[in-house]
Amino acid sequence: MVQFVLRSCLLKEGKNMVELKTVKSELVAKERDIVSPGDLLARGLDFLPGSGAYRAGQEIKSKYLGLVKTKDRLVIVVPLSGVYIPKSGDGVIAFIEDMQPTFWITNINSPYDAILQVGEAVSEYVEQGADISVYYDIGEVIYAKVLDVTRGKQVRLTMNDYKAKKLVGGRLLTITPSKVPRVIGKEGSMIEVIRSKTGTMLTVGQNGLVWLKGGYEGLATKAVLMIEKEAHTEGLTDRVTEFLENELAAAGLKPPAAEVKMIKKVRGEENE
Amino acid sequence: MSKIGAPEKLIVNGKRLDGRELKDFRPIVLESGNLKRALGSGLFNFGSTHAIAAVYGPRNLHPKWMQDPSRAVLRCTYTMAPFSTTERSRPGHSRRSTEISKVVKEALSQVIFFEEFPKAVIDIFIEIVQANASTRCAGLNAAAIALADAGIPMRDLVSCCSVGKIDGKIALDMAGLEDNFGDVDIAVATVGGTDKVVLLQLDGILSKEEFFEAIDLAVDGCAKINDMQKKVLVEKYRGEEK
Amino acid sequence: MINKNESYVRKLIEDGTREDGRGLTDFREISVKTGVIETAEGSAEVKIGNTMVLVGVKMEVKEPYPDSPNEGGFVVDAEFVPLASPDFENGPPGEEAVELARVVDRGIRESHAVDMEKLCIKEKEAAWTVHIDIHVLDHDGNLIDAASIGAMAALLDTKMPKWDADNKKIIRELKGKLPVSDKPVEITVIKIGNKLLVDPTAEEESALDARLTVATLENGELCAMQKGGDGYFTVPEIQQAVELAIDKGKELRKLL
């Protein structure tokens, strides 16, 4: 149906603008529709292309294979795949890959490397020429905030954030960056589900890296991968809860609730 | 001109040698995400012509002098597996594959939003695993699916098919003997099922009028393929929803 | 090469004018000289404005391919020698040079202008292979058209050497012409904005959206086509380009 509308609409292209101005504004795609690049989302000037959409004359079309979202007059497409492109303010998990006298070069699972300058990483005074590997060494993993991104995609990180930390031990998972919001859930609800059932602490980077530590790590991993695979579906929180409960029952395990509380107390931290 | 092995006729009783009508495609098979390691992948078969494509990137581009500070660079590699032809073809690149890689890259350049990824590179690899004419078309169709599967932002999908002249008649989707002994072979790719032609290659003698008839048929065929490509991409996710 | 004039060129073209005052469908001055290289069996030097291309034909004897035991061969190679442009570098042919050679090759091959069977000396044993080498000496745009007409002029200029079958040697006693039956000519139509034009300079080429090369025969039929560039042509634009190529092809063919 969508295809048919698209075709008949394209035939109009090239006719004069006067005629096109009479196009009635309407939303063609529905909320949560799965669309492919080029699919028609809306017609007319009353709608605006949000991220993942573009305007072609009177029409708004999708840039991605993705899920349609609408927000007032804005039409958005959330891609179902793709690499991470850094944005300022994002929390990311980064690997320290190289070092210069005054900064670290990190891999943030993106086409672009990110730089962490000493001033953004260490609060104490660092003597010129000092060995900065005592703070962060090559091979170490950190959770940091993207400080800024230039137009030419030069990325700077900062540890000047209450959530920023070095990640020691645990395990790392790579997922599709556009699916990160589902792993976190509304106000961290999904992370909380996983933590309460498995006792695993989750740190989720916007760049598609998930760090898991403690509790039933294997089970938590399965849950994260399940969320990634079914990120485009509804009722996911309930299904993940059910999945974890079933798995626990099948393995004869109990949710390590007491343990979680203890970890929280010791660390004094609230995740997400 | 008669060539060795040429059949007497390519159209018998109004049907082509493989039983098709003039305006029929061979059976088309397509898939998305068929490879696990690639960021995006696609498969496209026209009958016994089988193409697989993989997309990596946008990713870091080295050496640095190859980078474009304002947009991503597209690299496209079309190769034929040595066993893809009846007589073993030499592995690696030939002048033919260099030319096809170039025209396929140019066709796909029309739709990608390159400016979203300055300095980076998008790599497309097209592998023909079995060849029976129209390999560049199958390869380009697979590549378009792979790009969408990889989450590359695009204006639309590029779709491609071949048309030709056999026994003096214009026909869709050249295959087998038609490719070797037909009069004309034309490859056409369009954007999003419209008449915007982004790839056009023609070999063989025909009149202006015949060519205009052929290009219309090809544009029509591309639109059909565009619908199929979009369907296979979307249905992979819709199916899981149930 | 630094090109600051892309937007300027685009604007000129969109207004229907060109830097050198030509109309959109006018060629620059063209000259075709044949027999310019004594060591080649056939040769031509083509100048279109500042663009200069040299084409040489050399004949070799080879064993025919098993699938065409009674036919000769035909090979086109192109080299963008570094002296022709600041953009050309040493090394194996790049994709531009490969495309140029293949487009010129297909224009001539698909026209069947050279009768391959007449190039056979003895079935399954010996046949002539025609080597056409295109050297771009000065690159100021429209290389495909210059190379194509140069290749055709060189073929028409080619005289057959003698084959000494006993000693398996070529004797350079040139007599008799290479059998050429048609005169295919390639015309490349460029699209800039929504305008179509022919014979672009290098500067105009740097602003092009897409190009379409059309090879036509003496009787006006088409025998090869190649679209290039990142842009697109609509079907009506293609039709217009084909008509233009047929007309211009007739004009250029007079030079052969």
Side-chain angles (χ1 to χ4, degrees):
Chain A
M1 194 55 205
V2 177
Q3 296 296 326
F4 173 74
V5 176
L6 173 72
R7 183 70 36 67
S8 59
C9 192
L10 284 168
L11 290 174
K12 285 187 196 143
E13 227 177 59
K15 289 205 180 163
N16 60 53
M17 287 302 284
V18 184
E19 189 185 333
L20 285 172
K21 266 187 188 147
T22 62
V23 167
K24 213 180 89 193
S25 290
E26 63 170 322
L27 201 59
V28 178
K30 291 191 304 292
E31 180 87 14
R32 299 198 62 80
D33 264 0
I34 297 166
V35 291
S36 119
D39 277 356
L40 183 65
L41 305 175
R43 232 181 257 130
L45 296 172
D46 289 349
F47 291 99
L48 297 170
S51 73
Y54 71 100
R55 178 174 286 289
Q58 298 279 318
E59 299 171 339
I60 294 173
K61 293 180 178 180
S62 175
K63 280 185 185 179
Y64 294 108
L65 173 62
L67 271 178
V68 177
K69 274 194 168 178
T70 52
K71 210 173 173 185
D72 302 325
R73 293 164 59 210
L74 216 55
V75 192
I76 296 162
V77 177
V78 182
L80 288 164
S81 53
V83 300
Y84 172 67
I85 302 299
K87 279 196 322 289
S88 123
D90 281 355
V92 295
I93 291 175
F95 297 81
I96 310 287
E97 289 215 318
D98 202 356
M99 241 180 323
Q100 297 287 330
T102 59
F103 62 89
W104 293 268
I105 299 167
T106 72
N107 177 339
I108 52 166
N109 190 34
S110 159
Y112 310 104
D113 289 339
I115 276 168
L116 177 64
Q117 286 161 324
V118 170
E120 289 294 338
V122 184
S123 51
E124 64 195 48
Y125 175 72
V126 179
E127 192 99 22
Q128 208 177 3
D131 178 15
I132 61 168
S133 71
V134 297
Y135 304 105
Y136 300 106
D137 205 353
I138 291 169
E140 291 188 318
V141 186
I142 54 171
Y143 180 84
K145 199 136 236 170
V146 176
L147 179 66
D148 50 24
V149 182
T150 65
R151 231 189 76 188
K153 300 290 180 195
Q154 274 168 343
V155 187
R156 289 197 300 164
L157 298 180
T158 179
M159 297 301 279
N160 234 331
D161 186 85
Y162 72 101
K163 278 191 217 157
K165 62 188 167 191
K166 196 184 276 190
L167 305 177
V168 183
R171 66 157 84 178
L172 271 165
L173 275 181
T174 310
I175 62 165
T176 307
S178 64
K179 293 175 181 172
V180 163
R182 294 305 314 260
V183 175
I184 295 173
K186 265 194 193 114
E187 284 154 20
S189 58
M190 194 69 95
I191 288 180
E192 197 44 50
V193 165
I194 298 174
R195 180 154 52 190
S196 66
K197 298 289 172 204
T198 65
T200 304
M201 313 285 294
L202 260 70
T203 299
V204 186
Q206 292 292 334
N207 56 337
L209 292 173
V210 182
W211 183 72
L212 305 99
K213 194 178 181 182
Y216 305 132
E217 280 179 12
L219 192 53
T221 302
K222 277 191 193 167
V224 172
L225 294 178
M226 172 182 168
I227 299 165
E228 190 200 14
K229 196 160 173 281
E230 301 178 16
H232 57 287
T233 61
E234 281 175 287
L236 196 51
T237 316
D238 292 344
R239 257 179 297 130
V240 171
T241 311
E242 197 189 316
F243 165 78
L244 287 173
E245 278 168 0
N246 288 347
E247 288 280 308
L248 284 171
L253 296 169
K254 283 227 164 72
E259 207 178 317
V260 174
K261 269 185 198 146
M262 208 186 72
I263 293 169
K264 269 190 186 172
K265 231 181 215 166
V266 171
R267 297 209 164 183
E269 67 181 64
E270 285 289 329
N271 211 331
E272 297 295 336
Chain B
M1 232 180 46
S2 68
K3 276 193 193 169
I4 292 159
E8 214 170 287
K9 274 181 179 265
L10 291 166
I11 302 175
V12 182
N13 297 333
K15 298 233 176 187
R16 292 152 77 174
L17 294 181
D18 52 11
R20 284 186 290 156
E21 305 278 339
L22 285 173
K23 295 183 179 178
D24 283 350
F25 279 119
R26 287 173 277 173
I28 289 174
V29 177
L30 57 177
E31 258 178 57
S32 74
N34 50 309
L35 305 176
K36 291 295 160 259
R37 283 306 301 278
L39 187 63
S41 53
L43 172 151
F44 197 100
N45 301 349
F46 279 121
S48 53
T49 291
H50 296 186
I52 297 175
V55 169
Y56 287 88
R59 59 182 177 182
N60 240 318
L61 175 56
H62 291 292
K64 219 175 165 158
W65 60 264
M66 287 178 77
Q67 297 180 354
D68 185 329
S70 61
R71 66 204 298 268
V73 170
L74 180 64
R75 286 190 297 207
C76 185
T77 314
Y78 161 103
T79 39
M80 284 177 91
F83 47 77
S84 65
T85 44
T86 37
E87 237 170 85
R88 181 176 184 267
S89 50
R90 254 215 339 249
H93 298 288
S94 63
R95 294 191 339 153
R96 177 179 171 277
S97 71
T98 304
E99 185 199 4
I100 293 177
S101 300
K102 179 175 187 285
V103 293
V104 166
K105 178 181 76 186
E106 288 173 340
L108 292 167
S109 291
Q110 173 63 27
V111 292
I112 299 172
F113 288 93
F114 290 110
E115 57 289 356
E116 294 188 11
F117 314 110
K119 296 178 187 164
V121 63
I122 299 170
D123 277 310
I124 304 175
F125 301 100
I126 297 169
E127 185 77 29
I128 306 299
V129 289
Q130 190 175 300
N132 180 5
S134 312
T135 59
R136 74 198 64 185
C137 301
L140 181 47
N141 290 337
I145 294 171
L147 282 168
D149 185 47
I152 307 283
M154 290 190 285
R155 284 181 183 82
D156 214 309
L157 298 183
V158 173
S159 318
C160 187
C161 68
S162 70
V163 285
K165 187 172 130 187
I166 46 173
D167 288 357
K169 290 210 167 69
I170 301 299
L172 187 66
D173 186 21
M174 298 294 98
L177 294 171
E178 297 173 347
D179 185 45
N180 298 334
F181 304 108
D183 306 320
V184 183
D185 185 16
I186 312 172
V188 176
T190 65
V191 175
T194 66
D195 78 337
K196 289 178 180 168
V197 175
V198 287
L199 180 146
L200 171 55
Q201 291 185 295
L202 177 149
D203 293 285
I205 299 172
L206 81 176
S207 73
K208 185 173 79 184
E209 290 74 21
E210 286 171 325
F211 168 68
F212 293 161
E213 185 193 334
I215 189 113
D216 282 343
L217 180 61
V219 166
D220 223 47
C222 290
K224 285 184 186 135
I225 287 171
N226 194 261
D227 286 350
M228 295 184 214
Q229 287 169 307
K230 285 182 172 166
K231 217 169 134 197
V232 79
L233 283 166
V234 165
E235 274 186 356
K236 187 180 154 199
Y237 290 95
R238 276 197 192 136
E240 279 171 20
E241 217 167 16
K242 281 163 199 165
Chain C
M1 191 176 65
I2 295 168
N3 176 42
K4 296 188 184 103
N5 289 339
E6 193 190 312
S7 54
Y8 172 64
V9 169
R10 290 190 80 90
K11 196 175 173 314
L12 278 184
I13 301 286
E14 265 152 39
D15 294 341
T17 54
R18 296 172 94 159
E19 176 124 277
D20 49 16
R22 283 183 288 155
L24 294 184
T25 57
D26 291 341
F27 263 74
R28 289 167 285 181
E29 200 174 310
I30 312 177
S31 74
V32 180
K33 262 194 273 177
T34 54
V36 290
I37 307 286
E38 275 179 29
T39 44
E41 276 81 86
S43 61
E45 181 199 274
V46 178
K47 286 184 183 167
I48 304 184
N50 294 327
T51 290
M52 179 156 73
V53 172
L54 198 56
V55 182
V57 174
K58 292 293 288 178
M59 304 291 288
E60 261 182 5
V61 173
K62 278 187 186 158
E63 200 178 300
Y65 289 108
D67 59 342
S68 52
N70 58 342
E71 287 180 18
F74 177 88
V75 184
V76 180
D77 274 298
E79 263 205 72
F80 288 6
V81 285
L83 61 83
S85 162
D87 296 336
F88 294 169
E89 281 169 21
N90 270 320
E95 55 177 26
E96 298 281 340
V98 168
E99 189 190 23
L100 175 80
R102 283 186 55 89
V103 171
V104 171
D105 178 307
R106 282 163 37 210
I108 299 169
R109 186 184 304 273
E110 297 297 335
S111 74
H112 303 299
V114 182
D115 191 337
M116 295 297 176
E117 283 178 29
K118 283 190 186 150
L119 293 178
C120 182
I121 300 167
K122 191 164 185 213
E123 199 173 309
K124 288 184 194 164
E125 277 178 24
W128 291 105
T129 293
V130 188
H131 283 276
I132 302 178
D133 283 290
I134 298 163
H135 256 59
V136 177
L137 295 182
D138 212 343
H139 174 20
D140 191 16
N142 204 14
L143 292 182
I144 297 178
D145 295 7
S148 150
I149 196 157
M152 217 42 232
L155 282 176
L156 290 165
D157 179 52
T158 300
K159 289 157 210 83
M160 299 290 288
K162 223 168 101 182
W163 173 241
D164 181 350
D166 300 332
N167 299 315
K168 306 237 177 253
K169 254 171 61 184
I170 293 174
I171 302 166
R172 249 182 135 256
E173 276 173 26
L174 302 178
K175 55 179 176 188
K177 293 237 160 184
L178 183 77
V180 179
S181 59
D182 204 317
K183 291 174 182 169
V185 170
E186 287 184 333
I187 299 292
T188 303
V189 179
I190 306 285
K191 179 179 163 182
I192 296 178
N194 55 2
K195 291 278 195 297
L196 300 181
L197 56 145
V198 294
D199 189 26
T201 61
E203 195 172 64
E204 286 169 338
E205 273 180 359
S206 69
L208 76 83
D209 291 314
R211 63 171 153 79
L212 183 66
T213 301
V214 183
T216 55
L217 304 178
E218 278 177 304
N219 64 3
E221 287 191 318
L222 320 172
C223 70
M225 250 187 239
Q226 174 97 338
K227 182 249 163 196
D230 292 349
Y232 65 86
F233 283 96
T234 62
V235 170
E237 282 168 348
I238 292 172
Q239 294 179 343
Q240 215 182 319
V242 167
E243 305 275 5
L244 187 54
I246 293 173
D247 281 356
K248 288 286 144 188
K250 266 183 205 148
E251 262 176 52
L252 257 68
R253 196 169 288 111
K254 288 179 193 150
L255 297 165
L256 291 171

